[in-house]
Amino acid sequence: MDWWVSMPKVELHAHLNGSIRNSTLLELARDMGEKGTIVFSDFEHVIKKNDRSLREVFKLFDLIHIVTTDHKTITRITKEVVEDFAAENVVYLELRTTPKRNDSIGMSKRSYMEAVVEGLRSVSSSLDINFACDYPEKSSATAEKKIYVRLLLSIDRRESTAAAMETVNLALEMRDMGVIGIDLSGNPTIGEWATFFPALKFAREQGLHITLHCGEVPNPVEIQAMLHFLPGRIGHACCFQDEEWKKLKSSKIPVEICLTSNIQTETISSMDVHHFAELYKAKHPIVLCTDDSGVFSTNLSNEYALAANTFGLGKAELFELAKRAVNFIYAGNRVKMELIEVFESAGRTLEYN
Ligand code: 5GP
């Protein structure tokens, strides 16, 4: 594993609450159990279970949201998630999260996002972080690592058009705090494309980048509509049929591939039939990602090692794949050029045998 950890990596599909440390989740759930807010023993088994179906994953998210949705906890999780990615040499991270409103504790979508930004500001002093052009880069002479972080705001498929539009407007207001785009996610069996389309169209017109969870369940009409929209990237692309593969390949839309997530949620039946192989062979733009490193007990180094072992690829090939991901990031040219330099410098020192 050491080699995959030492290789620089780019993470473009990571959900904040899904990336929570297992130890933090257990600690928070235990605390809430002691306060009588939840019955801890009802949840312990769900948290400790490893192989969850897509349905169980969404049940787990409901639990995670009960224990995490206050400002202090969101700040803590953001800080920990960024530090965990940096510790395994992720040099650029696009972190996505669904802004949440909880009137009972005075949380608005905006104050939720401010808590996230506070988490970015409070990362350990052993880490240089760049997350917004208008904020001075936080750097220290003693820093061992540097990470670029940008934020994507997620629209949950349970939301209405008005709620989706509220998220887009918030993203526009927070552009100077590192927010660069919009994601559409949440339970794929819920909601209609037509509900989100107006907000996504408006977001794009205003210059925000768009990524869509696409094809996690068979739904050819929606998949076609999403591909026709030409998002900057899509996530998963598991349940495509011939017509959709053709359209995807001709469009060259980059695909965020989450191997462990797809297998654990059974959206792909086994690794040997995973579409990574076909897309890689066709030289279609792809990027390996974790999705929910906490929920699926993985990390990005592990996803690269898994791809190497499963698809018979060498270190040099996967290093190239990681480097190519720089082309698909949503940050601007200056960041791209700095990242290329990071990869070139690592490429000169890493040994491939
Ligand atoms: P959050 O947005 O609360 O930071 O991260 C968790 C949320 O991300 C989940 O409630 C869900 O809406 C979304 N999410 C996480 N993993 C997946 C996934 O694999 N597929 C889809 N469609 N949504 C996901």
Side-chain angles (χ1 to χ4, degrees):
M1 274 306 289
D2 285 357
W3 199 89
W4 303 108
V5 171
S6 61
M7 182 181 92
K9 291 168 291 291
V10 165
E11 170 63 83
L12 300 183
H13 188 132
H15 298 267
L16 173 62
N17 280 290
S19 308
I20 185 172
R21 286 181 191 160
N22 230 13
S23 56
T24 300
L25 181 56
L26 272 171
E27 181 195 318
L28 294 170
R30 215 172 264 129
D31 278 359
M32 281 207 154
E34 277 164 18
K35 287 183 194 133
T37 321
I38 60 167
V39 179
F40 178 64
S41 55
D42 287 355
F43 291 106
E44 192 175 9
H45 144 85
V46 191
I47 297 172
K48 289 185 173 164
K49 192 167 186 252
N50 257 336
D51 48 342
R52 302 178 189 98
S53 66
L54 191 61
R55 198 176 55 81
E56 287 172 326
V57 162
F58 282 98
K59 272 183 84 174
L60 179 62
F61 279 126
D62 288 340
L63 162 67
I64 293 178
H65 292 147
I66 293 172
V67 300
T68 62
T69 311
D70 69 77
H71 297 106
K72 207 169 90 235
T73 309
I74 287 300
T75 297
R76 169 183 173 178
I77 295 171
T78 307
K79 172 183 183 296
E80 289 180 354
V81 166
V82 171
E83 288 173 359
D84 288 349
F85 276 114
E88 57 154 339
N89 280 310
V90 169
V91 290
Y92 176 90
L93 164 67
E94 276 176 25
L95 192 57
R96 57 186 77 188
T97 193
T98 321
K100 295 166 190 74
R101 184 176 151 188
N102 182 351
D103 292 337
S104 66
I105 57 160
M107 176 181 278
S108 62
K109 283 187 171 186
R110 183 169 180 109
S111 72
Y112 174 95
M113 282 313 302
E114 284 167 352
V116 170
V117 172
E118 191 49 38
L120 300 182
R121 286 202 191 103
S122 60
V123 295
S124 151
S125 58
S126 64
L127 184 62
D128 279 359
I129 179 167
N130 168 291
F131 65 91
C133 347
D134 295 348
Y135 277 78
E137 200 162 274
K138 187 186 154 198
S139 53
S140 81
T142 54
E144 289 147 26
K145 292 182 190 295
K146 172 167 182 175
I147 187 166
Y148 293 85
V149 182
R150 296 294 184 269
L151 298 170
L152 304 173
L153 303 200
S154 300
I155 294 169
D156 187 316
R157 294 184 61 112
R158 288 176 294 196
E159 291 183 300
S160 63
T161 304
M165 202 61 99
E166 191 194 342
T167 296
V168 171
N169 281 320
L170 178 60
L172 292 170
E173 284 165 32
M174 297 189 76
R175 279 211 263 212
D176 62 348
M177 291 179 221
V179 176
I180 50 173
I182 296 288
D183 158 56
L184 175 66
S185 56
N187 192 333
T189 62
I190 295 175
E192 303 285 330
W193 169 247
T195 308
F196 317 113
F197 175 74
L200 293 165
K201 183 169 169 281
F202 174 66
R204 187 160 60 192
E205 283 163 3
Q206 296 300 310
L208 289 167
H209 296 279
I210 312 284
T211 178
L212 304 173
H213 281 63
C214 179
E216 289 176 283
V217 291
N219 185 346
V221 174
E222 182 177 279
I223 296 170
Q224 292 275 353
M226 286 183 168
L227 294 177
H228 185 70
F229 180 74
L230 285 176
R233 298 194 305 256
I234 58 169
H236 299 300
C238 296
C239 304
F240 278 33
Q241 292 166 356
D242 290 352
E243 200 48 38
E244 288 113 53
W245 285 128
K246 243 194 256 161
K247 199 162 180 162
L248 174 72
K249 284 182 185 165
S250 66
S251 70
K252 303 251 184 305
I253 298 169
V255 182
E256 304 151 358
I257 301 265
C258 310
L259 296 172
T260 299
S261 160
N262 295 161
I263 297 301
Q264 282 200 22
T265 57
E266 293 168 8
T267 37
I268 296 289
S269 57
S270 70
M271 213 54 120
D272 51 319
V273 294
H274 199 286
H275 46 293
F276 173 94
E278 166 62 20
L279 291 177
Y280 183 83
K281 205 171 90 206
K283 297 190 169 26
H284 188 85
I286 49 177
V287 48
L288 285 176
C289 303
T290 54
D291 204 7
D292 299 289
S293 54
V295 169
F296 300 123
S297 309
T298 189
N299 61 34
L300 196 52
S301 309
N302 187 50
E303 295 300 300
Y304 275 87
L306 189 61
N309 294 335
T310 310
F311 305 109
L313 297 171
K315 289 173 179 165
E317 287 160 308
L318 282 167
F319 178 82
E320 269 313 301
L321 187 72
K323 185 176 166 190
R324 269 206 302 276
V326 173
N327 298 319
F328 320 133
I329 71 170
Y330 286 158
N333 281 337
R334 184 186 61 83
V335 177
K336 278 188 182 157
M337 276 158 55
E338 288 178 18
L339 289 172
I340 292 290
E341 181 48 44
V342 169
F343 275 93
E344 286 185 350
S345 147
R348 287 191 288 271
T349 53
L350 282 168
E351 297 197 6
Y352 296 97
N353 297 318

